[in-house]
Amino acid sequence: AQIVFRRELAPGEFGTLNTVLGMIGLMTVPVLALNQAFTHYLARHHIAGGAGQSARIDALRAAALLVTETFAWFWGALSLLLVFLLLPLLDLPRFSLQLFTLLNVLIALGGLVSWAVCQGGNQLRLWAWLLAAAALARVLVGAGLAWQEPWAESGLAAFLLAGFITLTPALRSRETDATMRLKACQAIWSNWDRDFLLCAGATFSVLLALFLFSSADRIVAQSWFGVATNNNLGLVNWALFDAYQTAGLLGRGILWGTQPLLWILFAQRSRLDRTTPASLTFFWIYLGALLLGAIILGCLAQPLSRLFCGPHFQSTALFVPSFAAVMVPLGLLQALGVFSLASRRYHECFVLGGCGAGYTLLLYLAGRQPQLMPAYMFGGALVSLMVVLFVGVVRWGRKQP
């Protein structure tokens, strides 16, 4: 779909579309984190929990879907306010983009509820088919709309229409009265579930950090590169803006493509009380895949850029090697976050979330030129990596005799 949009949309519209998609993804992180916290917490205690915990875990499992649904609807309502507060900071060129962003946020949140419904009903095969159908619809509808109306709204409309496919399980879920939802939420907030709340907070912190480290620059790019300001004499170099966003998309492909290896690492490490050499096997596999992916991306910068951009690919190819290098420290941060969460090193998880927020602030304040943005990304990632490692080493040292 992104190849179609890059080739069909008018100059500058692809960059704006990627900014809005990044904003939509950011707004879905809280619901995604809550769902993942339930999934992993219950799975770990199903394996290692004793008889004394069985009643608590059973109650938590019974409340999981209701709490996820309730929080998703609450967060969706809050998003009505947050979207209109945050989007003006990005200086989107048209109000219609803000409206489409809001609609896509609500559809994306509904899709996460559908995922939770399918998980609770052991219907993951149905969910896989829905995802495949939505992906195909996004490509076909996006190609038709972008060809007729080459604006960012066409891409958002394609995401919106495809999102209704994944919304089907949520629309078919049974109705639950407010009393049952309130009781389920109260059960989570009770004193004997503080352990789960800590796990949920750490999961949110890690997932937020992973998203910001991978996508903060494409959100910030709109306000610096995609808006006419005094710094560029009232003109926008749309070709440069699109080239930057395309190269960033290719770089993020390394992080997204290797991420499944980390979740296998998470599944293995979270079952254990202590780290063993065998539990780190997929970490080393991931590290090798990350380095290999960065090397391949740097070597294939021109053919990959031509695939996305067609004959006007040179500007994109110039940015790709920089992004390939930046993805190495960002990939290490991604691995560190997943490992910390699996090891229940919650201090490192929260520090990583703070570093992600600081990284985003750095890019927002200093990322004024597209040629300099990768350098700030690299520096911010290295500083964040050192901070998290420092906290981990200090805490490890205090536990030694």
Side-chain angles (χ1 to χ4, degrees), residues 68-357:
T68 302
E69 287 182 340
T70 304
F71 179 73
W73 305 140
F74 169 78
W75 181 251
L78 187 60
S79 298
L80 295 172
L81 175 63
L82 291 177
V83 167
F84 282 109
L85 288 177
L86 295 176
L87 287 183
L89 298 176
L90 303 180
D91 293 323
L92 293 178
R94 296 179 295 275
F95 175 77
S96 57
L97 289 171
Q98 298 185 19
L99 181 60
F100 268 106
T101 301
L102 178 60
L103 294 175
N104 272 283
V105 167
L106 298 177
I107 291 296
L109 293 176
L112 291 177
V113 173
S114 296
W115 181 20
V117 170
C118 289
Q119 280 184 315
N122 293 322
Q123 295 178 316
L124 293 181
R125 181 175 297 180
L126 170 63
W127 179 244
W129 281 108
L130 290 175
L131 284 180
L136 180 61
R138 186 173 299 164
V139 174
L140 297 179
V141 175
L145 291 177
W147 180 71
Q148 296 182 3
E149 299 289 339
W151 309 107
E153 288 86 345
S154 298
L156 293 175
F159 276 80
L160 182 66
L161 295 175
F164 280 103
I165 298 176
T166 57
L167 198 61
T168 305
L171 296 176
R172 294 174 52 191
S173 63
R174 58 186 177 84
E175 292 292 334
T176 306
D177 57 44
T179 303
M180 294 181 62
R181 294 184 183 276
L182 182 61
K183 288 182 178 179
C185 294
Q186 287 176 340
I188 301 299
W189 284 101
S190 60
N191 291 329
W192 43 264
D193 270 328
R194 287 179 179 175
D195 184 44
F196 169 75
L197 294 176
L198 182 62
C199 174
T203 303
F204 169 73
S205 183
V206 168
L207 292 185
L208 178 64
L210 296 187
F211 184 86
L212 291 177
F213 282 125
S214 66
S215 297
D217 67 290
R218 68 168 169 167
I219 300 176
V220 170
Q222 177 68 37
S223 59
W224 283 120
F225 317 145
V227 177
T229 65
N230 294 329
N231 293 330
N232 52 35
L233 302 178
L235 300 175
V236 176
N237 188 338
W238 295 119
L240 192 64
F241 182 41
D242 284 344
Y244 176 87
Q245 292 282 35
T246 306
L249 180 66
L250 289 170
R252 280 183 286 275
I254 299 176
L255 299 182
W256 296 335
T258 56
Q259 198 173 85
L261 295 172
L262 289 180
W263 294 116
I264 298 176
L265 167 69
F266 181 94
Q268 292 184 347
R269 175 59 186 88
S270 61
R271 295 187 178 100
L272 306 175
D273 293 328
R274 298 179 63 87
T275 303
T276 62
S279 67
L280 294 177
T281 300
F282 273 92
F283 172 80
W284 302 115
I285 295 175
Y286 165 81
L287 186 60
L290 177 68
L291 295 175
L292 182 61
I295 294 172
I296 292 175
L297 180 60
C299 294
L300 300 181
Q302 292 201 4
L304 289 174
S305 300
R306 187 189 295 271
L307 173 66
F308 272 78
C309 308
H312 307 289
F313 68 93
Q314 293 295 342
S315 297
T316 299
L318 293 176
F319 283 110
V320 170
S322 299
F323 273 100
V326 167
M327 293 306 128
V328 175
L330 291 179
L332 290 174
L333 281 168
Q334 180 174 258
L336 193 59
V338 173
F339 177 78
S340 298
L341 187 61
S343 305
R344 295 174 288 285
R345 302 169 184 259
Y346 293 147
H347 291 82
E348 286 92 323
C349 293
F350 290 115
V351 170
L352 188 68
C355 289

Side-chain angles (χ1 to χ4, degrees), residues 371-386:
Q371 295 86 353
L372 295 178
M373 182 73 88
Y376 283 109
M377 293 170 63
F378 191 87
L382 282 182
V383 171
S384 300
L385 188 62
M386 289 187 291

